Amino acid sequence: MCGIVGIFSRQEPIIVEALTKATQQLSDRGPDRQSHWVASHQKVGLGHTRLSIIDLVTGNQPITNEDEQLHVVVNGEFYDYEKIQYQLKNLGHRLRTRSDSEIVLHLYEEFGTECLQYLRGEFAFILWDEARQVLFAVRDRFGIKPLFYAKVGNTLYLASAAKALFAAGVPASWDYESYFQQLFIYVNQDSTLFAGVKQIPPGHYLLATPNQTYITRYWDLDYPTANQHIPQRQDNEYIELFRHKLEEAVQIRLRADVPVGSFLSGGIDSSAVLGIAAKSSCDPIRAFTVSFDRPAYDEEPIARETAKYVGADFQVIRLNQSDFAEHIADAIWHAETLGVNSHGVARYIQSRVVRQSGYKVVLSGEGADEILAGYSHARQDLLFNYSIQKTPTALASVEHKLGFIPTWLREIAVKRSVFHLLLNPDYASDYSDLDVYGKFLNQFDIKGQILGREPVIQSLYLWSKSILPNYILFAERLEMAHAIEVRLPFLDHHLFELVRKMPVSLLVRGMKEKYVLREAARPFLTDTVYTRPKQPFTAPPVTITTNNSLYILIQDVLRSSVMASVPFFNQSAIATLLDGLATMKESQRINLEPALLMLLGTCFLQSRFNL
């Protein structure tokens, strides 16, 4: 929906120019209006760039309450807000706008930080409480919307993107340890690749007072333990309940004062969302589908069949490796992190086309695999006999703490091991004693949230708290680069709180993943989609051939002076790897694609951010 900025100084007045520059840096996220507010004492300021979706006339921000003691800037959407507005008016509150964003001010007046339990949606916000001299900053439950912060001296900076913090004057440099962690797993949920720049973790809020700053968890997945008694229903009851909750989650996300479209692949998730949206809409929904030039990765024919089946308008966006080569540097600039496949660049280009087509809002099926065990590794965690697997040394601490190793974590450890051959010896030596997988695990409440659950649930928890916000959901930054707000019905917490109490057999049944969704969404699915196994949205690997534009770009950049300036790698070792690609089997080159794209992304971050 928008870009937000907050600056809070505990001593000297804030620099208004820094607030302005940070806000301007987020203009891509909110091209419709830029504005800011600075307190009379000049110790705090809020900035906002607006993407107008709800209340196009009176919904400008920052918004203040009746006595102007509270000010807020919001990124994202609160759903069911009309009902809350009605309740607030009955409590005596006077609302200045018809915007969904304003409800957070008055809920905070009533309930303080407990207001979060009443908020449903994808959001991040920064609120200043003048009476209490408190800054309250929040990120939504699953981490759909980003919120970064940094402390420099006595000043706290917050923004929707790290680049906005840098525009405000926060120094930009690599975080050497976080980068090492990223190579072999992913950064922790409160970290970034940049020194001193943190994330508010999903389901957490930050409180800053004149004396201290602290982070508090307000929500977690809270899967029930295996021995916890939960009343069980018949399968058909769960399926009906799930269909009802999913339809509700889609319908409330159709609420907008602008047209709403939908992303569509050949999978069950986006097909179900589009089908429900089409049923709930008076006008045909526009469906946007990416088409790749290699048939094995192209889902256009299946998506076209689905669009016809539900009566949607169908728009195809055809992409190839030349498109990826042209746009990958800009995509990484906006993502502010590393990717392992070109599908992120595809989403970046897709969102540009969506915007050019006159849309600001689209629905998407992301999150279904996380809440419904849709990935193949979930089936393996459910069915596989771990006792026959030899434990890699690097994962010994994980097995010791959990009693098993999640399949996805084992796969990452194997695929990322190539980096040991490419690191600068001095850099590798500095972190030779760092147990990256143990550190990864230690960030979580192992006793309270992980142990005592079935292995597949433990695995889902770890994935949903790390890969989901830090990799899958970084697509939000690629979409908002073109001011496209993507709404995710499967990550509606009301829907999830039903799913988490379901038997695992409703998630995976035999070889059928997402069984409850498959049956609940059956009226909206073609036979092709209903019977089709999970196919991840993946762009054709750049390394399938050695004569495409992106492959040539990788060769050129990784041999360049920019790569030489990156402090983490031995460029001679990288050159040796590059020299050998042409003679490798295709399967070997494909296995190396994630590492090559991470190296390429590192070069672009190094140069674009002047790290």
Side-chain angles (χ1 to χ4, degrees):
M1 172 182 168
C2 303
I4 59 176
V5 176
I7 303 179
F8 173 38
S9 173
R10 292 186 167 93
Q11 291 184 356
E12 63 279 351
I14 67 168
I15 300 173
V16 177
E17 184 182 6
L19 178 65
T20 302
K21 287 182 176 179
T23 305
Q24 290 172 342
Q25 185 67 73
L26 297 175
S27 60
D28 289 338
R29 296 181 64 92
D32 296 331
R33 180 184 171 92
Q34 294 182 32
S35 53
H36 65 266
W37 164 83
V38 177
S40 58
H41 47 68
Q42 295 190 306
K43 295 295 180 65
V44 64
L46 302 176
H48 189 264
T49 63
R50 188 179 186 204
L51 177 62
S52 303
I53 291 172
I54 299 287
D55 186 11
L56 306 185
V57 178
T58 67
N60 294 328
Q61 299 187 37
I63 306 174
T64 185
N65 68 333
E66 299 94 329
D67 62 6
E68 300 190 354
Q69 291 297 291
L70 303 178
H71 292 78
V72 73
V73 285
V74 180
N75 171 31
E77 300 291 345
F78 301 126
Y79 302 116
D80 271 352
Y81 70 94
E82 293 100 337
K83 180 174 66 178
I84 296 175
Q85 287 174 332
Y86 177 79
Q87 294 168 343
L88 289 168
K89 289 176 182 177
N90 284 344
L91 291 170
H93 292 273
R94 300 190 311 276
L95 276 64
R96 295 171 178 241
T97 75
R98 293 182 292 105
S99 167
D100 62 302
S101 296
E102 187 178 355
I103 64 171
V104 72
L105 283 171
H106 306 287
L107 288 172
Y108 177 84
E109 284 184 281
E110 290 289 332
F111 305 109
T113 59
E114 292 299 311
C115 69
L116 300 176
Q117 65 180 296
Y118 300 96
L119 297 176
R120 180 181 188 180
E122 301 109 349
F123 57 84
F125 67 82
I126 307 169
L127 183 151
W128 173 250
D129 182 339
E130 178 67 26
R132 296 181 177 87
Q133 293 288 290
V134 167
L135 187 140
F136 179 40
V138 183
R139 192 173 178 200
D140 65 62
R141 294 168 178 83
F142 287 99
I144 300 167
K145 292 296 178 183
L147 190 54
F148 301 92
Y149 69 97
K151 289 181 279 188
V152 179
N154 292 305
T155 303
L156 174 68
Y157 300 84
L158 304 99
S160 298
K163 59 178 63 66
L165 302 180
F166 302 147
V170 174
S173 61
W174 289 109
D175 185 317
Y176 279 50
E177 185 172 319
S178 283
Y179 186 87
F180 191 87
Q181 183 94 4
Q182 177 85 350
L183 288 181
F184 297 103
I185 172 66
Y186 284 92
V187 295
N188 290 346
Q189 57 180 345
D190 63 347
S191 302
T192 73
L193 294 174
F194 307 112
V197 176
K198 301 293 185 181
Q199 303 180 70
I200 296 179
H204 287 67
Y205 64 80
L206 175 151
L207 275 182
T209 71
N211 300 315
Q212 61 181 332
T213 300
Y214 56 92
I215 303 288
T216 300
R217 182 177 67 186
Y218 70 88
W219 188 86
D220 213 327
L221 301 182
D222 288 327
Y223 282 107
T225 58
N227 60 3
Q228 188 174 338
H229 175 70
I230 296 176
Q232 297 298 303
R233 297 181 168 94
Q234 297 296 316
D235 284 4
N236 63 332
E237 292 181 89
Y238 276 121
I239 291 167
E240 287 300 318
L241 280 170
F242 182 87
R243 180 186 295 120
H244 171 72
K245 287 290 187 183
L246 180 58
E247 288 185 346
E248 178 185 78
V250 172
Q251 288 162 359
I252 61 176
R253 284 166 175 78
L254 288 171
R255 172 69 176 90
D257 295 332
V258 295
V260 179
S262 187
F263 287 147
L264 178 64
S265 69
I268 187 174
D269 311 334
S270 61
S271 299
V273 169
L274 175 63
I276 294 170
K279 171 192 170 185
S280 307
S281 177
C282 298
D283 300 314
I285 300 288
R286 176 73 61 86
F288 297 91
T289 295
V290 167
S291 175
F292 298 122
D293 59 358
R294 297 190 71 88
Y297 295 86
D298 185 24
E299 297 185 307
E300 179 193 339
I302 300 173
R304 184 182 295 275
E305 181 186 18
T306 293
K308 182 179 179 181
Y309 181 72
V310 302
D313 291 337
F314 188 61
Q315 183 168 339
V316 180
I317 302 158
R318 305 188 191 283
L319 301 177
N320 56 40
Q321 298 290 1
S322 296
D323 297 311
F324 299 148
E326 181 181 353
H327 294 285
I328 190 169
D330 288 336
I332 289 170
W333 156 254
H334 286 285
E336 302 182 338
T337 191
L338 307 177
V340 298
N341 178 262
S342 299
H343 62 76
V345 191
R347 180 58 64 85
Y348 174 79
I349 302 171
Q350 182 185 28
S351 298
R352 182 186 64 174
V353 174
V354 170
R355 182 70 187 199
Q356 291 170 345
S357 300
Y359 284 78
K360 294 181 177 182
V361 182
V362 290
L363 306 178
S364 181
E366 265 90 8
D369 291 314
E370 280 67 32
I371 72 168
L372 297 170
Y375 295 109
S376 61
H377 59 72
R379 291 199 303 273
Q380 294 176 53
D381 286 328
L382 184 65
L383 303 172
F384 200 69
N385 183 354
Y386 296 98
S387 64
I388 67 173
Q389 286 284 300
K390 182 179 179 181
T391 302
T393 302
L395 295 171
S397 61
V398 174
E399 185 174 48
H400 175 73
K401 291 173 182 176
L402 300 183
F404 80 109
I405 300 172
T407 300
W408 67 267
L409 196 56
R410 184 188 297 271
E411 291 174 351
I412 285 179
V414 171
K415 290 179 181 178
R416 300 286 182 87
S417 62
V418 65
F419 285 118
H420 288 295
L421 306 175
L422 304 177
L423 290 175
N424 178 312
D426 290 339
Y427 179 61
S429 176
D430 287 342
Y431 296 100
S432 59
D433 294 331
L434 179 64
D435 177 4
V436 293
Y437 300 105
K439 180 180 179 182
F440 164 78
L441 202 59
N442 287 340
Q443 68 182 301
F444 304 113
D445 178 6
I446 298 175
K447 184 177 180 180
Q449 290 290 327
I450 300 176
L451 297 182
R453 282 81 177 173
E454 297 180 55
V456 66
I457 297 300
Q458 295 185 45
S459 181
L460 281 177
Y461 179 90
L462 292 171
W463 178 280
S464 294
K465 299 294 284 188
S466 58
I467 309 300
L468 176 62
N470 282 339
Y471 182 65
I472 294 167
L473 295 179
F474 83 67
E476 190 271 357
R477 298 170 232 171
L478 303 173
E479 295 146 359
M480 288 298 289
H482 301 291
I484 295 298
E485 177 179 277
V486 178
R487 298 177 175 181
L488 308 179
F490 285 107
L491 295 184
D492 184 283
H493 77 282
H494 289 205
L495 176 65
F496 172 75
E497 287 169 359
L498 167 67
V499 170
R500 72 181 174 195
K501 295 180 180 179
M502 288 183 178
V504 170
S505 61
L506 279 166
L507 308 182
V508 181
R509 181 157 297 184
M511 295 305 292
K512 283 187 176 181
E513 75 282 342
K514 294 181 285 195
Y515 175 78
V516 67
L517 170 60
R518 200 174 296 273
E519 298 307 313
R522 184 67 183 97
F524 312 108
L525 306 177
T526 63
D527 291 340
T528 304
V529 172
Y530 175 74
T531 58
R532 188 174 186 238
K534 165 70 181 177
Q535 301 290 327
F537 175 61
T538 304
V542 59
T543 47
I544 284 183
T545 64
T546 59
N547 61 354
N548 66 75
S549 299
L550 184 52
Y551 179 92
I552 294 169
L553 179 67
I554 289 173
Q555 288 277 354
D556 290 345
V557 172
L558 298 192
R559 297 177 190 273
S560 72
S561 59
V562 175
M563 185 75 248
S565 70
V566 171
F568 310 120
F569 296 103
N570 179 339
Q571 193 174 23
S572 296
I574 292 174
T576 300
L577 177 65
L578 296 173
D579 290 341
L581 288 175
T583 59
M584 290 182 187
K585 295 179 180 178
E586 181 182 292
S587 60
Q588 291 176 297
R589 292 199 305 270
I590 290 175
N591 286 337
L592 285 171
E593 183 196 43
L596 293 172
L597 288 178
M598 290 177 72
L599 291 169
L600 182 66
T602 300
C603 288
F604 288 138
L605 290 176
Q606 172 87 8
S607 59
R608 295 292 290 268
F609 286 93
N610 295 314
L611 300 175

